[in-house]
Amino acid sequence: MKILVAVKRVVDYNVKVRVNLEGTAVETNNVKMSMNPFDEIAVEEGVRLKESGKCDELVAVSIGTSSSQETIRTALAMGADRGILVETDDPIEPLGVAKLLKVICSREKPDIVIVGKQAIDDDANQTGQMLAALLDWPQGTFASRINIENTKAQVTREVDVGLETIEINLPAVISTDLRLNEPRYASLPNIMKAKKKPIDIIPITELNIDIAPRVKVIKVSEPPKREAGVIVENVKELLEKLRNEAKVIS
Amino acid sequence: MNVLVIAEHENGEIKDLSLSAVSAGTELGKVNVLIAGHNCRPAAEKASKLRGVSQVLLADAPVYENWLAENLALLISSIAKNYTHLIMTATTVGKNIMPRVAAKLDVAQISDITQIQDNETFVRPIYAGNAMATVQSLDQIKVLTVRATAFEPISGHDDTSGIQLVSPTENVGVSAFIDQEVTKSERPELTSARIVISGGRGMQSGENFAMLEEIADKLGGAVGASRAAVDSGFVPNEYQVGQTGKVVAPDLYIAVGISGAIQHLAGMKDSKVIVAINKDEEAPIFQVADYGLVADLFEAVPSLSAELEN
Ligand SMILES: Cc1cc2nc3c(=O)[nH]c(=O)nc-3n(C[C@H](O)[C@H](O)[C@H](O)COP(=O)(O)OP(=O)(O)OC[C@H]3O[C@@H](n4cnc5c(N)ncnc54)[C@H](O)[C@@H]3O)c2cc1C
Ligand SMILES: Nc1ncnc2c1ncn2[C@@H]1O[C@H](COP(=O)(O)O)[C@@H](O)[C@H]1O
């Protein structure tokens, strides 16, 4: 079985981002970048499926600037076998990413594509579902457990009411939620080994796909600021304030 | 504008969260509501009376019973051509289905909008709500999910609109529902409760959440949690509030033993009044709290509960 994982390079989740002076985007110069946390979970799941003997080859794909090679290297150090970078300097919307991933799928013929449920920069939560639609494959989104048996996968999903288990035919697209696994840190020897693993770099123009933006960003602004309130001395004072000042309890 | 809102329903009632999507739809134009499911005519009848709704479409068939994305997306995309806007609330159901619909139509989806500026311009949070993006759709059909806390649920009634039957699409047959684990609770739903009390890693165990449940019951509220509390197994996943969990905006949000990471704030900072109970006076949660109490929660919470008795 062959598995493809999609890994996106994003502003690290610990960075407190700032809107740029022009109000057109978030400042990304000189900020720490990392693999999208949900994609680390996707890679980890792929590596575990390899370790359990269910997966023969794990391929990490990223769409982005040449720096996204670092993100692919991280996936390789965690245990992926090789990487593919679709190189572009422009940000690509989820629909465009899904179309590009579809082309990669037609070349690579994976049995499963694992993506993160959400990129923590655009907070879109779309790419996996879109890819599944374009491929006409079933989807198992927000996975907190994956069980693969022959030509089917049972996916337990984190949903608003609790957990839901579905069964989907393979090939399929699966998106990861937080509780699927705890991603490993790559060991130094594995980081060294990853340097020798191949990354295939494809210029985006070579794929000839319509990735024209469908959404125009008019402006990006700071959210309304919330002011800190007061520190109360004790529970009695807190309740007094909630009752008589804020009037939110009786 | 011709707007189609796909409403979630349960036991013959339209879900409150979907009433917010109807309300967003009425800002754009004439709203049709799609009720898909099995034996769901009662929900369609409820929908037909909602204010601002001019037509209800009813797709009643076993294939729609469990909200499988493959079947729902096929249905929705097959009727999409008549509409300028397709809207669902950004619940796990909406998030699962709508991107699939958009891709089938070869249009973008715009996630989690908090404001409608005009027919094609919307505001949405990005980077865990650290920035707000105003975006303009260039597509013919706009596929949107809306943040429920940003749109008051539609209220009031109109003359009953017609219910039109939609013939069911084929069963795509590549996915099947197996089962669901749902925690039963008498408390109000987290996303629509007027009062929410949430616990974090500081709670130390699942048993200790009983202290929060006691207060929730006294106040008629719901219980939520931080990711750390869910990851530690104190409470189930559906309690998680935040960037990647549920977004809540109650009248009163009480954060207990929660540090206030940006990902948590993303899910609760629009609450009307925020209370933080934390023993670390430097905890970032105090920067957004209207009332902060620097205290050991194992003393403060029982005493809060006792005081509420009086
Ligand atoms: C991709 C991604 C997505 C995420 N999504 C979410 C999300 O949706 N929601 C979310 O909440 N987090 C999310 N997080 C996690 C987030 O970054 C924080 O790690 C998490 O919110 C911390 O939870 P916490 O505040 O309970 O724990 P901690 O940060 O460990 O804070 C515990 C707090 O409890 C206090 N405390 C301890 N003991 C006591 C006591 N006896 N009395 C009083 N106070 C006490 C401490 O002072 C501390 O401030 C996400 C992270 C990532 C990477
Ligand atoms: N540029 C990209 N390169 C690789 N994977 C991506 C890219 N954009 C999105 N993805 C994948 O799609 C998931 C969901 O992203 P999104 O739909 O943007 O929230 C991410 O977690 C990635 O797995």
Side-chain angles (χ1 to χ4, degrees):
Chain A
M1 167 167 317
K2 183 163 168 180
I3 297 179
L4 214 84
V5 285
V7 294
K8 185 178 186 186
R9 181 177 156 89
V10 298
V11 173
D12 186 86
Y13 79 96
N14 279 311
V15 173
K16 169 108 180 66
V17 301
R18 302 239 172 273
V19 173
N20 66 12
L21 287 176
E22 301 78 35
T24 52
V26 153
E27 196 55 73
T28 49
N29 283 333
N30 300 317
V31 300
K32 185 178 175 212
M33 304 292 284
S34 305
M35 186 189 295
N36 183 43
F38 287 100
D39 303 352
E40 292 180 0
I41 298 174
V43 175
E44 176 66 33
E45 196 64 15
V47 174
R48 289 187 190 185
L49 285 164
K50 261 194 78 175
E51 288 168 345
S52 73
K54 288 204 164 136
C55 162
D56 312 302
E57 194 183 23
L58 183 64
V59 183
V61 186
S62 191
I63 293 149
T65 62
S66 137
S67 318
S68 296
Q69 284 184 68
E70 284 171 36
T71 312
I72 296 176
R73 286 282 168 221
T74 306
L76 298 177
M78 287 173 74
D81 297 299
R82 59 189 174 87
I84 300 173
L85 170 64
V86 177
E87 194 175 338
T88 169
D89 285 335
D90 301 319
I92 310 290
E93 295 169 359
L95 181 63
V97 172
K99 287 181 178 179
L100 294 164
L101 289 175
K102 183 188 174 188
V103 178
I104 302 298
C105 284
S106 66
R107 294 184 178 187
E108 296 284 336
K109 308 218 163 14
D111 300 281
I112 302 177
V113 179
I114 311 180
V115 303
K117 88 161 173 185
Q118 175 174 340
I120 60 163
D121 48 4
D122 63 15
D123 282 334
N125 193 333
Q126 300 175 8
T127 306
Q129 298 89 313
M130 288 183 154
L131 175 63
L134 297 177
L135 291 166
D136 228 342
W137 290 2
Q139 64 191 50
T141 53
F142 325 146
S144 78
R145 196 166 51 208
I146 302 172
N147 188 10
I148 292 161
E149 299 286 354
N150 304 318
T151 59
K152 288 182 192 286
Q154 282 211 352
V155 178
T156 299
R157 311 176 52 232
E158 292 200 6
V159 292
D160 289 341
V161 292
L163 292 171
E164 169 186 289
T165 301
I166 58 171
E167 186 169 78
I168 52 180
N169 293 357
L170 301 183
V173 178
I174 294 176
S175 81
T176 61
D177 216 320
L178 294 169
R179 262 67 63 173
L180 181 59
N181 60 48
E182 220 173 291
R184 70 194 64 194
Y185 290 102
S187 65
L188 197 57
N190 285 342
I191 293 173
M192 300 311 289
K193 256 195 258 167
K195 295 198 166 136
K196 298 206 190 71
K197 294 182 180 174
I199 299 180
D200 185 10
I201 298 174
I202 309 172
I204 199 163
T205 45
E206 207 171 273
L207 296 179
N208 222 347
I209 292 292
D210 166 29
I211 40 148
R214 304 303 188 80
V215 176
K216 192 168 139 196
V217 178
I218 308 282
K219 68 168 183 185
V220 175
S221 52
E222 299 275 352
K225 250 208 151 21
R226 209 179 163 110
E227 299 296 329
V230 296
I231 295 292
V232 295
E233 284 307 314
N234 51 42
V235 166
K236 268 205 164 66
E237 188 188 345
L238 174 63
L239 277 174
E240 191 274 319
K241 298 264 191 210
L242 292 179
R243 286 192 173 119
N244 304 323
E245 193 175 86
K247 298 189 166 61
V248 283
I249 62 174
S250 50
Chain B
M1 296 296 114
N2 290 319
V3 181
L4 181 68
V5 172
I6 300 95
E8 291 177 60
H9 52 88
E10 192 175 47
N11 305 325
E13 300 289 337
I14 313 285
K15 291 207 173 181
D16 283 350
L17 292 170
S18 292
L19 295 177
S20 293
V22 174
S23 155
T26 58
E27 290 186 28
L28 290 158
K30 222 172 57 183
V31 174
N32 289 8
V33 170
L34 171 67
I35 300 290
H38 190 215
N39 297 330
C40 54
R41 182 167 267 279
E45 278 160 9
K46 293 269 161 54
S48 74
K49 298 190 181 91
L50 291 174
R51 187 165 60 80
V53 172
S54 62
Q55 172 84 268
V56 174
L57 308 183
L58 172 61
D60 197 333
V63 289
Y64 306 127
E65 188 160 16
N66 296 301
W67 299 99
L68 290 169
E70 296 77 9
N71 289 327
L72 263 306
L74 181 63
L75 170 71
I76 297 164
S77 56
S78 74
I79 54 178
K81 297 286 184 289
N82 305 327
Y83 297 96
T84 54
H85 296 77
L86 307 178
I87 308 183
M88 269 189 103
T89 301
T91 60
T92 47
V93 172
K95 291 174 190 171
N96 191 35
I97 295 173
M98 291 306 252
R100 192 169 176 111
V101 171
K104 277 175 164 293
L105 299 171
D106 192 26
V107 300
Q109 193 231 215
I110 301 179
S111 301
D112 218 12
I113 62 166
T114 55
Q115 205 190 317
I116 296 172
Q117 291 198 335
D118 59 41
N119 295 338
E120 52 187 27
T121 316
F122 311 97
V123 179
R124 61 178 301 263
I126 53 174
Y127 289 89
N130 277 313
M132 303 301 288
T134 305
V135 298
Q136 181 187 19
S137 161
L138 308 175
D139 286 313
Q140 287 295 321
I141 303 180
K142 284 101 173 96
V143 179
L144 310 170
T145 61
V146 305
R147 178 171 285 201
T149 53
F151 298 89
E152 273 295 313
I154 197 92
S155 60
H157 296 277
D158 261 0
D159 294 345
T160 305
S161 55
I163 298 178
Q164 184 191 328
L165 289 181
V166 180
S167 34
T169 40
E170 73 194 64
N171 186 351
V172 181
V174 290
S175 54
F177 173 83
I178 306 283
D179 61 19
Q180 225 174 38
E181 284 168 47
V182 180
T183 324
K184 280 267 167 283
S185 157
E186 297 296 308
R187 281 176 216 108
E189 259 194 74
L190 185 53
T191 39
S192 46
R194 215 180 55 77
I195 294 178
V196 173
I197 180 163
S198 288
R201 199 193 311 272
M203 294 302 296
Q204 288 181 15
S205 76
E207 290 77 63
N208 289 336
F209 265 76
M211 298 193 295
L212 305 188
E213 287 165 5
E214 201 176 292
I215 292 176
D217 290 340
K218 286 179 183 172
L219 296 172
V223 179
S226 71
R227 172 188 175 181
V230 177
D231 284 3
S232 310
F234 301 169
V235 288
N237 61 278
E238 67 269 22
Y239 281 52
Q240 184 181 313
V241 170
Q243 177 190 18
T244 59
K246 287 180 178 161
V247 177
V248 302
D251 290 347
L252 173 62
Y253 188 88
I254 309 177
V256 182
I258 291 178
S259 61
I262 192 71
Q263 292 85 5
H264 187 78
L265 301 187
M268 44 65 80
K269 69 182 159 85
D270 293 329
S271 304
K272 231 179 254 156
V273 175
I274 297 175
V275 169
I277 302 177
N278 196 303
K279 68 177 177 190
D280 172 12
E281 62 180 334
E282 303 284 318
I285 189 77
F286 288 122
Q287 289 162 22
V288 299
D290 300 283
Y291 303 109
L293 177 60
V294 182
D296 187 325
L297 73 92
F298 293 100
E299 283 161 25
V301 173
S303 119
L304 181 62
S305 188
E307 287 287 336
L308 283 170
E309 217 98 56
N310 303 329

